[in-house]
Amino acid sequence: MTNWSPQVLKIFQQADTLVIMPYNDDGKTFEEISPVSPVVYDGSLYVRGWKGTATRWFIAAGHQPAGFIELYGHRFPVTFEQVHKDESFDDNLSDAFWKKYEHSKTAAPHALVGGPGVEATLRILPRVDAQGKLALA
């Protein structure tokens, strides 16, 4: 499994938001293009849907786990992985969201650290081609 480089993870961690674009089932059109609040935890990139599992982009990513994210005008082809970890992992990831967004004017930290947001967690990985190389946007 390919993950983001430490340099790219640092950029993601510094960003308040990125844009998430999961494909529809047709693999060509996007279900929803939405800003989300990213966090880097334990060497991976995560987002949570503050409306929980009813969040449209979260549902789309579950049906068709491919799409794009966009940050600072750069589009990255990605794979979305639904996260079902244990309570300790959820608590630690929630702590990472809280530390990053506690004083944010754009994120809803309470929705990201408790309630339905915890159930709607995605890990975002760079998409690779059949040869295992990073896919290009």
Side-chain angles (χ1 to χ4, degrees):
M1 169 179 31
T2 300
N3 203 350
W4 305 101
S5 71
Q7 296 85 355
V8 172
L9 286 172
K10 184 176 179 180
I11 293 167
F12 288 144
Q13 181 62 15
Q14 292 171 345
D16 284 337
T17 61
L18 59 82
V19 176
I20 191 168
M21 299 173 278
Y23 280 128
N24 280 312
D25 288 338
D26 65 10
K28 297 177 184 175
T29 59
F30 299 119
E31 166 55 35
E32 184 175 40
I33 298 173
S34 182
V36 294
S37 302
V39 72
V40 173
Y41 170 71
D42 198 26
S44 292
L45 176 64
Y46 295 92
V47 295
R48 285 182 168 167
W50 66 272
K51 292 181 184 177
T53 57
T55 305
R56 287 177 45 206
W57 59 257
F58 180 81
I59 294 168
H63 290 156
Q64 173 55 270
F68 291 87
I69 58 171
E70 194 170 88
L71 181 64
Y72 305 132
H74 297 283
R75 190 173 278 194
F76 303 89
V78 296
T79 300
F80 303 110
E81 179 182 274
Q82 292 192 17
V83 177
H84 304 286
K85 300 286 184 169
D86 60 33
E87 188 175 330
S88 174
F89 175 85
D90 288 339
D91 288 346
N92 290 334
L93 185 58
S94 291
D95 287 346
F97 273 105
W98 186 257
K99 285 176 187 170
K100 182 172 179 181
Y101 294 107
E102 178 179 10
H103 301 292
S104 174
K105 300 202 186 317
T106 58
H110 294 287
L112 298 173
V113 300
V118 175
E119 298 301 318
T121 302
L122 290 180
R123 180 178 180 200
I124 302 177
L125 298 162
R127 195 172 346 137
V128 295
D129 61 20
Q131 290 77 35
K133 297 180 182 176
L134 292 178
L136 302 175

